[in-house]
Amino acid sequence: MNVQTCNLVPRCILQPAFSRHLLLPVLLLLLLQAWWGSCHPQCLDYKPPFQPHQPLVFCKEYSKFGCCDVEKDEQISQRFYTIMENFDHSGYSTCGRYIRSILCQECSPYAAHLYDAEDANTPMRILPGLCGDYCSDYWHQCRYTLSLLLEDSGSPQQFANLTAIIEEDRRKFCDFLELKDKQYCYPNVLTNAELNANLGLVREDPKGCLELCLQEVANGLRNPVAMIHADDGTHRFFVAEQLGYVWVYLANGSRIDRPFLNLTQAVLTSPWAGDERGFLCIALHPRFTTVRKAYVYYSVSVKKEERIRISEFTLSVLDDNQLDHSSERTIMEVVEPASNHNGGQLLFGHDGYLYIFIGDGGRAGDPFGKFGNSQNKSVLLGKVLRIDVDNNDDSAPYSIPSDNPFLGEKETRPEIYAYGVRNMWRCSIDRGDPATGAGRGRMFCGDVGQNKYEEVDLIVKGGNYGWRAKEGFSCYDRKLCQNSSLDDILPIFAYPHKLGKSVTGGYIYRGCQMPNLNGLYIFGDFMSGRLMSLKENTTTGEWQYTEICMGRGQTCRFPKLIDSHYKYIISFAEDEAGELYFLATGVPSATRRTGVIYKIVDPSRRAAPGKCSIKPSPVKIKGKLVHFYPREEFVINKKPTTTAVPTTTTRKTTTAKKTPRKPIVIIKPPMPTRKTIRKPPQATTTTTTAAAATTAKTTIQTTRKTTTTKTTLPATTPTIKATIKTTSATTIKPTTAPTTVQTAMMTTPATSTSTGYRTTVMTAASSRIAQTPIITTPSPRRHGRPLQYPPNATSQPLSPPQRPPSPSTTSLKRPHVASNSTPYPKRPGVITTTWAPHLNQKPQRPAISTTMPKTREEKLRIGEKLESAGQGNQVYKKPRGKGRDYKKGRDGRRLRGGSVRLVSTDGLLDRGRVEIFLRGEWGTVCDDLFSANAGSVVCRQLGFTKALAVMKRAVLGEADSSVRILLDDVECEGGERSLLECKRSRVGKHNCSHREDVGVICG
């Protein structure tokens, strides 16, 4: 039997059926797990693919599902037509399809894999990975178009010599372009039926478990029991702790340091694990912006008698983020005969009434009275209540809605809306389908069972939900169960205690960001930590159960996502936009700060960019903001978790042991010196004749130190136009020192050694001063893929018509921050010359001028440490003597906390490693989550306009061990005045090393 998996490096495992029949089931399971763990649709922005708002015009094949919207499609189209301006009709028809296909792979749902960009911390390819056969065809037909594809993707200087040699050698050409993974390379990725069978749907593992991911949004909470929103446009959410605190969180994740409500002195609870008493719920009036009232549900002790209290509070007139604690008004109190089964849900229905869910009074089996409290309609225990709290300022705390089902019935409490419930824990109301409104107003509840079953109920007016006669679908009290007058409503789903022993009701997902989840009821179990889902069959009315598990392998390899959670699932919630969350803790105690709020994320599909954007209304804040710092380790920064059992992972604060890195040297072969306009005495002139076409003969005069040659190519092949500019000069200074590079664009004949897989070529964007040198740094090999670089090449003197060899350490990779998103400009002038795609010759493209001012040449020495004061890392000592402890900058001014500087080994002022001054010392910043917005904050502090590029992995210099790492996980929106105002880890807390020092280039 021949089985092939979808691993990153395809492997065929052969097992004879007659000799391995006992191992085949296990083997197939492992292979399926490996296949599912490696297939990973992802875009170049490290987010899931989507369906664009409108069909694409240029890359039409990705209109239904991919990584491009209409705007991106137009940019690719403009780039294509700009490139094709260099071709005549024959060249257009021959090479147009190759260029179009390659450019459109940015729209592929597997773009991240094709561009080797699944890890946001490592460089990605400039061009997508091709399959071997396709690459060979491309080389034979249109090899010389490679330089055109690279020309606008990065610095032309970076690729000038590279393309000159690899375009002549098919093996080297395809070593750069080929992706060895035959499942994912283009075009095989489009024709793989297994790979694309369920593309865009929620991923399932081999057992059918839905694979989702999580995002941590709050932590350090003490048994968070409820999370609600005000539905007022601010997108705030309010989180209640069992201890009696309610906190306000803003849309950016920050928490206001003053509690919205503090009832810790009145709430009855204890630090015992599993204590069901305490502050259990809060609900805001549906017209909170005008009515300004909140309702709470908590346990209280009155004269040693335990009670449930429902109270009303009014919002403070001085602070919109705080209730007036003196305004408490008791709406209702219910005596609790035992300390458990307290219920604990408040919510407003779409009818505007307040619904209250109260437990059966506690103990086991509802032993109170002849039929128990739940079946006794003369008591409020074991019931769903509905009351009207509007217009109660000058009257009774509440009134009875006129359509309550038992209004007027003898010996029945009129507040009762439904009965026969045991201990309903967490209920929700369906918002309805966003398009059709179907399901709107339905009320779902999880009802905790006795000792066999947990159930999920759909609450209807006047319904009897069977307890204590029934537990789930089975009989609990056989006498009551056989009573013909029971007329109970069965649950929509019930599960045995082998899956969990305490249900936590959830929500129907109706948000915008994850269209796959629409209509899915997501809930969990407190004891087992299991996440579950139900999907309604609208034809039969039945609900189909599917378990939810954390995505394995690369499924959750997106920024900010995690693949594990704390076990004890306390509650579920939805925000103002309808996105879904759950609240869990590692220790179920009201005093332990192990509570975390997780956002549920589908990694398979997202909404189209811009569709779900929100603009929160401004919030007036009194007090301070407490910024959020995630405690869980992101999947993208660690080895993926493959176990399905919920676990917790805390971020390590120790710094990885640093190993010294040897400088990697790039030495290019000499390039011809051209005639200069500004400095004519420094140029030497000779003559080189370009190819002449029979249809349009053109002679190009250039300057070169070598002998003059004349080459004429046949005119029967497609014609390409070459753009020539000869207004700048190249200065060659050969050197024998192999440890430095004079400038990024200078070349010297020497041998260069390949540095292995993922050699990074980081090219700085053009700035107001100069181009930075090219630096290569080794990165670890990932996914087991073979090296993507040609073998070592030794440069030779120029001898026409051969091309000078290019060093093998140069890579077709680009830094993530250097992605090009703007249309490519047209060339200023074109000259027609003939071109033969099947020949090993091509029109001579002019060498690109790279001369820099001499003062810069003397400074640009990569790998050399500056020994002069003030240019390298410095360890500042505290000033001796009396007075306050502070530092002064070079201009004598006092340094404030949060000041930044750029440390450059080249002495350049506009680029370098970012260092920040905190607590009396300079330290570095890790590159985790550090984006262009954060770079702009740094550059503006230094007097520049913006950040041209953010350079990760210590590309612009690595600090020595004496310099501390002060900041990590820095996330800025771009408008902050310093990095201290951004989301970040605590000062000095990090999980990185100096190999991850971030640098910026300002302009």
Side-chain angles (χ1 to χ4, degrees), residues 274-314:
D275 192 344
E276 298 180 24
R277 302 168 301 175
F279 189 101
L280 300 180
C281 199
I282 180 172
L284 302 181
H285 196 280
R287 301 188 304 278
F288 184 64
T289 54
T290 56
V291 178
R292 300 169 67 87
K293 290 182 179 180
Y295 299 85
V296 298
Y297 185 127
Y298 64 97
S299 303
V300 66
S301 178
V302 179
K303 297 180 181 180
K304 298 183 179 181
E305 182 180 62
E306 293 187 11
R307 299 181 183 180
I308 292 170
R309 177 178 292 171
I310 314 297
S311 290
E312 175 187 88
F313 286 86
T314 303

Side-chain angles (χ1 to χ4, degrees), residues 184-373:
Y184 273 96
C185 62
Y186 180 81
N188 289 359
V189 69
L190 300 178
T191 58
N192 189 318
E194 288 183 296
L195 192 62
N196 295 281
N198 297 310
L199 185 63
L201 302 180
V202 180
R203 291 172 53 85
E204 296 183 8
D205 69 2
K207 296 181 179 180
C209 184
L210 301 181
E211 293 191 324
L212 299 179
C213 305
L214 304 174
Q215 180 181 348
E216 182 183 348
V217 298
N219 55 38
L221 295 162
R222 292 160 291 197
N223 267 15
V225 293
M227 168 181 159
I228 60 172
H229 62 85
D231 196 21
D232 59 356
T234 63
H235 291 268
R236 294 174 293 172
F237 56 88
F238 304 79
V239 178
E241 294 178 315
Q242 186 178 358
L243 200 61
Y245 288 106
V246 180
W247 301 100
V248 179
Y249 287 80
L250 302 183
N252 64 3
S254 301
R255 175 175 63 85
I256 300 177
D257 64 344
R258 298 180 181 182
F260 183 68
L261 180 64
N262 180 1
L263 286 181
T264 54
Q265 299 299 317
V267 169
L268 174 63
T269 189
S270 72
W272 306 333
D275 192 344
E276 298 180 24
R277 302 168 301 175
F279 189 101
L280 300 180
C281 199
I282 180 172
L284 302 181
H285 196 280
R287 301 188 304 278
F288 184 64
T289 54
T290 56
V291 178
R292 300 169 67 87
K293 290 182 179 180
Y295 299 85
V296 298
Y297 185 127
Y298 64 97
S299 303
V300 66
S301 178
V302 179
K303 297 180 181 180
K304 298 183 179 181
E305 182 180 62
E306 293 187 11
R307 299 181 183 180
I308 292 170
R309 177 178 292 171
I310 314 297
S311 290
E312 175 187 88
F313 286 86
T314 303
L315 193 65
S316 170
V317 295
L318 302 176
D319 190 350
D320 288 342
N321 295 295
Q322 197 169 58
L323 293 177
D324 182 355
H325 288 63
S326 64
S327 67
E328 182 175 10
R329 182 187 189 189
T330 300
I331 299 294
M332 178 187 300
E333 282 189 357
V334 180
V335 176
E336 275 282 352
S339 60
N340 60 341
H341 298 189
N342 299 289
Q345 179 72 53
L346 291 176
L347 57 82
F348 280 91
H350 288 170
D351 52 15
Y353 297 131
L354 179 64
Y355 290 79
I356 306 170
F357 300 78
I358 301 179
D360 66 4
R363 301 181 188 171
D366 193 8
F368 305 100
K370 184 177 181 181
F371 306 111
N373 285 328

Side-chain angles (χ1 to χ4, degrees), residues 466-688:
W467 176 250
R468 70 181 186 190
K470 288 184 177 180
E471 179 187 10
F473 294 102
S474 67
C475 290
Y476 180 81
D477 185 322
R478 295 193 176 277
K479 290 183 179 180
L480 289 177
C481 190
Q482 295 172 359
N483 190 332
S484 59
S485 63
L486 182 62
D487 193 23
D488 62 320
I489 298 175
L490 296 176
I492 62 172
F493 177 72
Y495 62 92
H497 278 189
K498 67 179 182 179
L499 295 181
K501 297 181 180 180
S502 181
V503 66
T504 300
Y507 281 79
I508 293 271
Y509 179 82
R510 299 297 188 186
C512 172
Q513 296 177 8
M514 285 152 282
N516 276 342
L517 303 185
N518 182 41
L520 198 67
Y521 180 74
I522 298 178
F523 64 107
D525 190 275
F526 175 81
M527 294 300 294
S528 67
R530 192 182 301 270
L531 288 169
M532 297 169 276
S533 72
L534 297 174
K535 183 74 172 181
E536 183 184 18
N537 185 324
T538 56
T539 303
T540 64
E542 296 179 352
W543 292 80
Q544 181 181 359
Y545 167 79
T546 308
E547 188 173 342
I548 294 175
C549 52
M550 294 296 96
R552 300 166 304 134
Q554 293 187 354
T555 304
C556 296
R557 288 187 65 84
F558 296 92
K560 301 182 183 180
L561 296 193
I562 57 178
D563 59 358
S564 61
H565 62 85
Y566 281 130
K567 174 182 177 181
Y568 300 102
I569 301 174
I570 301 175
S571 185
F572 284 80
E574 66 177 359
D575 63 17
E576 193 168 341
E579 301 306 319
L580 228 55
Y581 303 77
F582 70 91
L583 293 64
T585 185
V587 181
S589 168
T591 58
R592 296 291 297 274
R593 293 184 177 273
T594 57
V596 180
I597 299 177
Y598 302 99
K599 181 180 180 179
I600 298 174
V601 178
D602 174 22
S604 303
R605 177 191 289 264
R606 58 170 159 154
K611 181 180 180 180
C612 305
S613 59
I614 59 173
K615 294 182 179 179
S617 302
V619 180
K620 294 182 180 179
I621 299 171
K622 293 187 177 181
K624 298 180 180 179
L625 290 180
V626 180
H627 292 287
F628 165 67
Y629 305 112
R631 292 184 178 178
E632 297 289 330
E633 184 175 328
F634 299 148
V635 172
I636 208 168
N637 293 332
K638 67 171 184 175
K639 294 180 180 179
T641 302
T642 56
T643 175
V645 180
T647 57
T648 60
T649 307
T650 56
R651 295 176 69 97
K652 297 181 179 180
T653 58
T654 57
T655 303
K657 186 177 180 181
K658 175 185 172 184
T659 57
R661 290 190 304 175
K662 297 181 179 180
I664 307 300
V665 182
I666 292 182
I667 302 177
K668 293 186 177 181
M671 292 181 65
T673 301
R674 293 182 172 230
K675 184 177 180 179
T676 179
I677 294 176
R678 292 175 296 178
K679 299 179 181 180
Q682 296 181 2
T684 303
T685 59
T686 56
T687 303
T688 299

